[in-house]
Amino acid sequence: MGILQVLKTQLLCHLIICYVFLVSGFIINLLQICTLPLWPINKQLARKINCRLGYSISSQLVALLEWWSGTECTLYTAPESYKLYGKENAIVVLNHNFEIDFMTGWTFCERFGVLGSSKVLAKKELSFVPVIGWMWYFLEIVFCKRQWEEDRKTVVQSLRNLRDYPENFWFLLHCEGTRFTEKKHKISMEVAEKKGLPKLKYHLLPRTKGFCVTVQNLRGTVTAVYDSTLNFRNNEMPTLLGVLNGKKYHADLYVRRIPLDTIPEDESECAAWLHKLYQEKDEFQEHYRQTGRFPGAITSPPHRPWALLNWLFWVCLLVYPLCMLLLQLLLSGSTFTVVCTSVFCLAVSVGMRWMIGQTEIDKGSNYGRDQDKNTVI
Ligand SMILES: CC/C=C\C/C=C\C/C=C\C/C=C\C/C=C\C/C=C\CCC(=O)SCCNC(=O)CCNC(=O)[C@H](O)C(C)(C)COP(=O)(O)OP(=O)(O)OC[C@H]1O[C@@H](n2cnc3c(N)ncnc32)[C@H](O)[C@@H]1OP(=O)(O)O
Ligand SMILES: CCCCCCCCCCCCCCCC(=O)OC[C@@H](O)COP(=O)(O)O
């Protein structure tokens, strides 16, 4: 193991990375609040500024994945579709199996220049996560409680708001609604059986309401659905802590571009279309399992330097004052100040660990574990 690799596993490095992320995140959240008076005057300008501010936060996680852990991202897609990525609005339908699939998704967004404006139908709980959840308010992310009767109105309204968005965006939908676990899979296949639908081996049964309402409300705004299937080489189950420790993974993403006007308008036909899509996705995963690759031509969309430069900017800006502050505290000789600072650092570390915990599947929700009550705990 090289010296750099050992360095990447050191707690001190992790604390510095988390400190830079938190402090820069709070500064950016504050700047986002400062854009509030601009919204009634020039909404499109406020949105563009927020895209750039949001980029400055989310690209830190991309830099962590691309540059710190050195994770490689390979894209399997048709060359004629590749030309359009980043140049149109699209709905991305992605499987939800991995703790870092959000970072991998963001990395592809970054490679095609749509990271700042990327959108998702996210569970409401994520809106309370400091920095990222707060940033999402200003990026007009669509939140849901995963209780359709309560969600219908707000989801439709939030989708309609995106119709005049000034930047190209990708709208991500994890139609399975929750991350894959054996227990959730078993229950979801019981639901499939009751509905007379074919069983899926690698996916949960998709929830169709969110997809159908998104297609309905973004017709005319979005030109295609990107059916995306993600896997990691060597049966790896990557984690955010692994990435933080500098572990290198290899992501493979298979993307099919499907023009939106080929998707049925009628709600039940649209739902049937989505079920069929998930049966196809299951076949692609089976193909991957058997051959170690997806069908289609391979490309590695080039790295761009901006995520790294943004990260280095924040490191340079924030690490020097931290060192000076710690030095002054130590030199002050006051036990009280040193104890208070230590307690504060400990509290921040616990908070950071809680945020990382949000990405962990075994700390995930119970949504989809009770087919009758459809509970979210
Ligand atoms: C070129 C490169 C291309 C691509 C690059 C890839 C990606 C990059 C793109 C963008 C990146 C952007 C951002 C990424 C950053 C961060 C993202 C991070 C994470 C956020 C993700 C989440 O939070 S996922 C959780 C929230 N989202 C969702 O749930 C979306 C999917 N869900 C829906 O759409 C739902 O319909 C709903 C939420 C709108 C409503 O849910 P609800 O459960 O209330 O209603 P439904 O009617 O849908 O469900 C009930 C029906 O389901 C049946 N049922 C009951 N139990 C089960 C079960 N266990 N399994 C399956 N089905 C079940 C039930 O019988 C009901 O059936 P009916 O027939 O009566 O409808
Ligand atoms: C450089 C920064 C280093 C430190 C970073 C810490 C950042 C923590 C970021 C928290 C962002 C959380 C986004 C998680 C997205 C996610 O994957 O959510 C899960 C939901 O879909 C489904 O939830 P569930 O029903 O529980 O499976």
Side-chain angles (χ1 to χ4, degrees), residues 74-283:
T74 301
L75 181 63
Y76 296 72
T77 199
E80 61 275 18
S81 305
Y82 186 95
K83 287 184 226 147
L84 295 167
Y85 298 153
K87 299 191 178 76
E88 61 181 354
N89 294 334
I91 297 168
V92 175
V93 172
L94 184 64
N95 55 313
H96 207 9
N97 301 60
F98 304 102
E99 295 187 356
I100 61 158
D101 50 21
F102 76 102
M103 285 169 91
T104 316
W106 269 346
T107 302
F108 281 99
C109 290
E110 161 60 7
R111 304 262 176 112
F112 291 99
V114 290
L115 177 59
S117 55
S118 63
K119 311 271 169 260
V120 58
L121 176 53
K123 60 175 182 179
K124 182 82 186 146
E125 295 85 326
L126 291 175
S127 68
F128 306 117
V129 175
V131 179
I132 290 195
W134 302 343
M135 154 188 102
W136 274 347
Y137 278 110
F138 297 90
L139 294 178
E140 298 166 78
I141 293 303
V142 183
F143 291 108
C144 62
K145 294 183 177 162
R146 297 186 284 189
Q147 306 273 354
W148 184 235
E149 285 320 313
E150 285 185 56
D151 286 333
R152 184 197 297 270
K153 246 188 171 162
T154 48
V155 169
V156 166
Q157 191 48 55
S158 312
L159 286 167
R160 289 188 178 161
N161 291 344
L162 296 178
R163 284 178 177 168
D164 63 345
Y165 208 74
E167 308 256 321
N168 283 336
F169 66 86
W170 290 353
F171 186 89
L172 173 65
L173 270 170
H174 289 295
C175 297
E176 293 155 90
T178 188
R179 273 131 349 145
F180 187 101
T181 66
E182 287 306 331
K183 176 106 201 270
K184 289 180 181 182
H185 181 244
K186 185 173 169 285
I187 290 171
S188 124
M189 287 310 105
E190 285 166 17
V191 176
E193 200 171 357
K194 276 189 197 151
K195 287 180 187 278
L197 289 163
K199 296 236 173 111
L200 301 169
K201 196 167 160 192
Y202 302 100
H203 298 86
L204 306 179
L205 193 67
R207 312 273 180 154
T208 57
K209 303 253 191 345
F211 177 76
C212 295
V213 92
T214 305
V215 168
Q216 237 170 48
N217 286 282
L218 293 184
R219 222 177 255 284
T221 304
V222 153
T223 35
V225 167
Y226 296 167
D227 166 34
S228 308
T229 311
L230 176 68
N231 222 324
F232 283 84
R233 294 215 182 148
N234 310 316
N235 291 323
E236 294 257 37
M237 289 301 278
T239 62
L240 183 48
L241 282 178
V243 172
L244 209 53
N245 276 295
K247 188 164 168 19
K248 178 180 176 150
Y249 300 105
H250 196 133
D252 282 322
L253 183 74
Y254 177 42
V255 182
R256 290 187 304 166
R257 181 184 179 278
I258 304 168
L260 198 84
D261 51 23
T262 62
I263 298 171
E265 291 190 23
D266 172 78
E267 203 177 319
S268 58
E269 284 178 33
C270 181
W273 185 92
L274 188 71
H275 283 303
K276 185 158 173 292
L277 187 86
Y278 269 76
Q279 286 149 28
E280 290 168 3
K281 288 169 89 65
D282 225 46
E283 283 164 22

